[in-house]
Every structure is written in structure tokens, then in C-alpha cells.
Amino acid sequence: KAGVTQTPRYLIKTRGQQVTLSCSPISGHRSVSWYQQTPGQGLQFLFEYFSETQRNKGNFPGRFSGRQFSNSRSEMNVSTLELGDSALYLCASSLRTSGGYNEQFFGPGTRLTVL
Amino acid sequence: AQSVTQPDIHITVSEGASLELRCNYSYGATPYLFWYVQSPGQGLQLLLKYFSGDTLVQGIKGFEAEFKRSQSSFNLRKPSVHWSDAAEYFCAVGVRSGNTGKLIFGQGTTLQVKP
């Protein structure tokens, strides 16, 4: 079956603009998580969505937000972009059953460059 | 607090030589441990995971890892490295809080393979 897809793959924005990134999880997966990857900070957890509700949030400012739709697709939005928001944004999906820990499957990422 | 440490930022090995990438974690409960690989410009691919049971786990591409609770380690090994193994490797611990989960990553180890 198809893997996690992210669109767009590359994006260039200027400071102060806002951006929306999209993620389609693996069919049947209901949980979507977002991560930011930068050379300085590495891979950091942004937030997790399940059943259209944010379930967990990392230590990021309120400029970073997201949502999940009824078909489990997710979007994340960054408002008032700063140079430091330049990063690879990775989306991961999982089954998210009630017990144990569910393996996360990652998409190819969206490379955001802020000028 | 939960954390993952990969002591080696960069490792160079000759093709055909053995490889060991180190990973230490800090987590109060039974950890869910993962190794991911990332090729340039790509997302993360799961190499292997440890949830419970046998402490020596086998993964894809000939990789294996051994969980040692007494040392809080989960080192990745491969007996004979191929040029195509050159990539960045990330160790991660899966953290559950209620019904939510997230991955905490180490800083990564870049593997260079000499011909």
C-alpha cells in the first residue's frame, strides 16, 4: 500500500509569510505526528493528531499549528515565518492502538526555506 | 527527562568492515527503541525496533541491534558495510503518555563509507 505522502516537497517563503504543509497518512492509519528537522536542533516533535484532535504538543511557539481532517489527512501551518523556521518538516503516521507503542512511518518531508 | 545520546557524530569505515553505532537512552520505564536511517534529502526509514523479548533484534539491510538494559544502550551493528549504507542514522525512544506517543531522537550519526 502507498506510504505517507507530503506536499509540497519544497517550498520557499519570505519572512513574515505563512505556510501550510500537507500530509496524507498510510491508509488505515489514524494518527499523524509532525517533526521538525534542523542541523542545529536535530529532530524535534511538533505535535500529534488523532481523531481530528491534537493529542500531544512539543515545545514550539503558537505560530506552529495543525489540524486533522475526518479522512486522517493532516495539515500544519506556520504563521509569521522566521528565518529559523527553515527546516525539513517530517510527517509520520501510525495505527495508534490502545496498548503498547505503535511504530511510526515517515513521509519524505517538506523542505521549507525562509528567505 | 527522556533523552537519547548518540556519542559519535561522524563515523568513517571502509567498505566490507564491521560497523557499530552507539546509542544510549534515558527513560524511566520499559523503552520502545528504534533505529532509523535517512539518506540525503529523504525521510526516515525504519531499520529495526525493540519493544520486548529477545534483546538482539534483526532489521532490514543486514542490520542488528542489541538492547542492554544495564547499560541503557541500544547499539546498532552490521558485520560488513556496503557503500550504499552511507547515510545518517538516528536512534530514537518511543515515549508514551496516556494514549499519546512521540519519538525522541538522538542527534544522529553520519556514516561515511570508504571504498
Side-chain angles (χ1 to χ4, degrees):
Chain A
K1 60 184 156 181
V4 178
T5 58
Q6 292 187 245
T7 56
R9 290 293 311 278
Y10 302 92
L11 210 46
I12 299 175
K13 293 285 187 179
T14 56
R15 281 180 298 173
Q17 287 186 308
Q18 75 166 16
V19 67
T20 299
L21 312 181
S22 180
C23 172
S24 293
I26 292 171
S27 177
H29 286 193
R30 299 174 60 198
S31 168
V32 173
S33 298
W34 289 89
Y35 294 82
Q36 181 196 63
Q37 184 177 22
T38 60
Q41 299 300 314
L43 281 152
Q44 294 185 288
F45 172 77
L46 278 158
F47 28 64
E48 179 196 8
Y49 283 85
F50 177 72
S51 291
E52 303 175 59
T53 302
Q54 187 181 95
R55 304 291 178 162
N56 200 1
K57 189 177 187 334
N59 189 25
F60 279 83
R63 300 185 297 106
F64 291 81
S65 63
R67 59 177 174 169
Q68 187 180 35
F69 302 94
S70 58
N71 62 357
S72 296
R73 189 178 70 85
S74 176
E75 290 181 347
M76 67 162 281
N77 184 276
V78 188
S79 62
T80 319
L81 284 166
E82 300 177 0
L83 295 179
D85 297 333
S86 294
L88 181 67
Y89 290 89
L90 293 164
C91 166
S93 75
S94 70
L95 278 169
R96 202 174 184 280
T97 55
S98 59
Y101 189 91
N102 300 119
E103 177 183 338
Q104 295 188 20
F105 296 83
F106 285 82
T110 294
R111 171 73 63 186
L112 171 64
T113 302
V114 182
L115 302 176
Chain B
Q2 307 98 349
S3 65
V4 177
T5 302
Q6 293 179 245
D8 304 306
I9 296 174
H10 192 105
I11 281 184
T12 300
V13 300
S14 298
E15 190 169 15
S18 63
L19 171 71
E20 182 169 32
L21 302 183
R22 296 182 291 164
C23 172
N24 293 98
Y25 67 90
S26 173
Y27 187 58
T30 301
Y32 301 98
L33 296 164
F34 306 83
W35 274 100
Y36 286 89
V37 61
Q38 185 179 37
S39 298
Q42 301 299 312
L44 300 173
Q45 181 183 22
L46 180 69
L47 284 175
L48 46 77
K49 62 188 178 190
Y50 172 78
F51 281 11
S52 65
D54 193 348
T55 56
L56 184 64
V57 293
Q58 302 296 321
I60 63 171
K61 305 185 180 186
F63 286 93
E64 67 177 26
E66 186 171 13
F67 169 60
K68 293 185 177 180
R69 184 185 299 275
S70 62
Q71 298 177 20
S72 297
S73 69
F74 188 56
N75 295 347
L76 181 72
R77 300 193 295 246
K78 186 170 185 177
S80 178
V81 169
H82 188 262
W83 64 266
S84 60
D85 293 325
E88 190 161 19
Y89 292 79
F90 293 93
C91 180
V93 61
V95 175
R96 278 193 66 91
S97 175
N99 283 326
T100 70
K102 66 179 181 181
L103 288 167
I104 295 176
F105 288 91
Q107 284 296 101
T109 298
T110 299
L111 172 65
Q112 183 179 1
V113 180
K114 291 190 302 184

